[in-house]
Amino acid sequence: MADDGTHDGESESAVRSDGGTNGADAGSPAALRADGGAVDEVALDPWGSSTVDDYRKLFEEFGIEAFEEVLPRVPSPHYLMRRGVIFGHRDYRPVADAMANDEPFATLSGFMPTGDPHIGHKLVFDELIWHQRQGADAYGLIADLEAHAARGLSWDEIDEHAESYLLSLIALGFDPDDGTLYRQSTNREVQDLAFELGTKANVSELGAIYDFDGETEVSYMESVVTQMADILYPQLEEPKPTVIPVGPDQDPHMRLARDLAGRMRYFGVTEAYASFELDGGERELVAEAYDALSTAADDPDADIRCVDAAEWLRTERPPAGALESAVETLESGGKEPLRPRVRFLDRNATDEAFEALIEAVEGEKRVYESHIDSFDLSRAEAETLAREVETDHGGYGFLPPSSIYHRFMTGLTGGKMSSSIPASHISLLDDPEEGYEKVKSATTGGRETAEKQRELGGEADECPVYELYAYLLSGDDDEFAARVYEECVGGERLCGGCKEQAAELMAEFLEEHQEKREEAKAVLADLDVELRSDRP
Ligand code: TRP
Ligand code: SF4
């Protein structure tokens, strides 16, 4: 390694803006820690420009789960998963299980054609391609309606960029014969589904989620329901686990899509203890009371009455949370015995579907005006049955879509990688020479002098160049990524040589990618994706 490397000027340490707390786990040098320790406000705004620099908050506040926890279930995980670049997920288990059991599943993501595709988009392209190779029905879409409505791009600009995204996606390995590529503007099924989903969402709700107000353009709102339709589109034929790989800024969309998927369902399935409804917190308390009282009862057949459970809660549990409302509800239940059951709630079912469900519930059941209680089915059996009856009677039976989240890359100039700052990112269309130069001028996690670097080691965790190795340049080669890391933090690797190596690899990558883009042109031309819109 050349030893001229650490004199890149003060910018190196001065530009760091994230407090420098996302060090790697001691045990796994190449893994990027997802739970950086900074405590800045995290705003999840799909159209904002905020940097998400505190991933831990995403777990705590928004309920995104750590990807690590599902990783062991994933058959031969992608390197972005292994290295913690994909750091979070919602409900990925059904996808991982479908993959492992050779069952149908899907993957879909969308791209707003607002500029040239860059190495940040490549993460998502790679995620789609990997899932496709693992057996997923794969979908890549151009969010042209969104770009027009939310970003005000003209159709000419949109057309130009749309083609470019598709070329890179194909060049990187997406198989368009086996998968689906589409533009929002020409997909009538998506637009129809968007309209239907719009019947389940109202303006105040969108306002609360996205900070929309009275000035927000109607088309902007339409682009939101269009994205909801994109996300559920893979399930139009039949329900299946679907993963949407995105950046964490898209999480509000995921939460809404998961919600809408449920609101479209014919039936809801819940657990109940008596004729009345309980919310989540109340149900937990009632379950506790029921379990305690039935374990304590001498006669296993003796009824446990609502009032007994109310009494138990009042004496055994602190007066906090849902306690008061649970007690009140139980008291109004009086002498009605508590009996665990699963409940099918009629949400949007047709009369025929509701009748069919009554027929289909085996064992002891009780039928009410708009719900059915079953005493013999398990929750899982009930879910399956409800979905079957729904799809047999013309409903979608949507499963809530899953998502995985990747870390944003740090800009090469420090701070955020942004399409509007050319030096901060590498476009997949950059001349290899230009890509080389950008890497050579990148900020690093190096020390002020070579001497110090040898003594203290570099800060690979703070280094955009190391990120390039981990996210892209090492490809599938974990050993190489780990070696760069170890050599850096061990003080054997100095930034000049390290950047030279990265710059060469980047130039090679760009050259090869651009050749493949040329080849992809013929492939794209043969597909029935409209490359020119006839919209004014
Ligand atoms: N809103 C996304 C973006 O800003 C683009 C998008 C549209 C999308 N539809 C989607 C992403 C469906 C994932 C899934 O980039
Ligand atoms: Fe320097 Fe390379 Fe270490 Fe970054 S990874 S600090 S460029 S030696």
Side-chain angles (χ1 to χ4, degrees), residues 30-85:
L32 296 157
R33 245 181 57 181
D35 57 353
V39 285
D40 302 358
E41 256 327 287
V42 191
L44 284 183
D45 173 1
W47 297 282
S49 56
S50 53
T51 311
V52 177
D53 56 3
D54 182 2
Y55 293 95
R56 181 183 298 150
K57 272 220 161 165
L58 298 178
F59 300 147
E60 284 164 10
E61 270 179 32
F62 297 97
I64 293 176
E65 292 178 77
F67 195 80
E68 263 173 13
E69 283 152 31
V70 278
L71 188 61
R73 303 171 90 98
V74 183
S76 29
H78 190 268
Y79 69 82
L80 294 171
M81 297 172 169
R82 303 197 299 264
R83 290 178 204 157
V85 177

Side-chain angles (χ1 to χ4, degrees), residues 235 261 301 401 492:
Q235 300 192 62
D301 291 330
E492 295 155 53

Side-chain angles (χ1 to χ4, degrees), residues 105-435:
F105 69 106
T107 187
L108 169 142
S109 197
F111 308 92
M112 253 213 280
T114 51
D116 291 337
H118 58 63
I119 54 175
H121 298 112
K122 179 181 180 287
L123 300 179
V124 182
F125 295 153
D126 286 346
E127 292 173 68
L128 286 176
I129 293 161
W130 181 81
H131 281 96
Q132 181 176 44
R133 292 184 177 157
Q134 299 289 103
D137 295 342
Y139 298 76
L141 71 100
I142 299 298
D144 53 1
L145 293 178
E146 183 182 355
H148 190 61
R151 293 284 167 81
L153 264 74
S154 74
W155 287 100
D156 280 344
E157 293 169 292
I158 288 172
D159 284 349
E160 179 194 329
H161 296 133
E163 177 170 5
S164 191
Y165 277 84
L166 296 174
L167 288 176
S168 278
L169 180 54
I170 296 170
L172 288 167
F174 187 90
D175 178 355
D177 297 324
D178 195 40
T180 306
L181 298 173
Y182 71 88
R183 299 175 64 138
Q184 288 176 328
S185 65
T186 55
N187 191 328
R188 182 58 202 251
E189 283 178 313
V190 163
Q191 292 162 23
D192 287 350
L193 180 57
F195 190 88
E196 290 307 317
L197 295 169
T199 67
K200 301 287 178 210
N202 64 40
V203 173
S204 332
E205 180 182 28
L206 296 192
I209 300 173
Y210 301 110
D211 262 345
F212 290 167
D213 59 25
E215 303 299 305
T216 304
E217 293 86 354
V218 174
S219 302
Y220 203 143
M221 297 207 178
E222 284 190 70
S223 77
V224 169
V225 286
T226 307
Q227 176 156 354
M228 298 304 108
D230 290 330
I231 292 172
L232 294 169
Y233 183 58
Q235 300 192 62
L236 215 44
E237 301 267 295
E238 56 163 340
K240 54 170 86 75
T242 303
V243 59
I244 315 294
V246 275
D249 60 312
Q250 297 292 304
D251 187 55
H253 289 306
M254 288 310 306
R255 279 179 280 155
L256 179 59
R258 291 171 58 79
D259 242 53
L260 290 179
R263 287 182 217 164
M264 294 293 284
R265 297 295 310 280
Y266 279 14
F267 308 105
V269 176
T270 62
E271 283 162 48
Y273 282 85
S275 53
F276 44 77
E277 286 296 313
L278 298 166
D279 72 23
E282 295 165 352
R283 194 177 304 116
E284 261 172 49
L285 288 167
V286 174
E288 269 184 74
Y290 177 82
D291 291 343
L293 291 169
S294 53
T295 322
D298 297 332
D299 173 4
D301 291 330
D303 284 339
I304 292 156
R305 299 182 189 277
C306 289
V307 282
D308 305 332
E311 178 61 27
W312 187 89
L313 282 178
R314 233 186 292 113
T315 49
E316 301 291 330
R317 286 289 170 264
L323 189 91
E324 201 180 325
S325 61
V327 168
E328 256 171 45
T329 312
L330 285 168
E331 278 172 348
S332 66
K335 291 225 149 63
E336 183 184 343
L338 288 178
R339 270 184 81 194
R341 64 197 74 186
V342 285
R343 174 165 298 162
F344 299 89
L345 300 158
D346 180 353
R347 289 215 189 113
N348 303 291
T350 57
D351 291 345
E352 295 80 64
F354 192 65
E355 291 303 321
L357 182 62
I358 296 172
E359 283 302 303
V361 174
E362 286 181 14
E364 191 187 345
K365 63 190 157 196
R366 235 172 260 169
V367 177
Y368 300 84
E369 173 77 13
S370 59
H371 68 265
I372 306 163
D373 283 357
S374 155
F375 297 89
D376 294 329
L377 293 177
S378 71
R379 170 88 185 249
E381 288 165 339
E383 301 265 8
T384 307
L385 183 66
R387 183 167 280 108
E388 267 169 25
V389 172
E390 175 175 345
T391 51
D392 284 351
H393 288 80
Y396 299 112
F398 291 134
L399 288 163
S402 314
S403 49
I404 50 176
Y405 302 106
H406 59 78
R407 296 169 53 117
F408 291 121
M409 292 177 98
T410 309
L412 297 176
T413 45
K416 201 191 165 204
M417 181 172 285
S418 155
S419 319
S420 52
I421 312 168
S424 78
H425 72 274
I426 290 171
S427 156
L428 296 179
L429 276 62
D430 275 349
D431 211 60
E433 191 56 31
E434 198 180 339

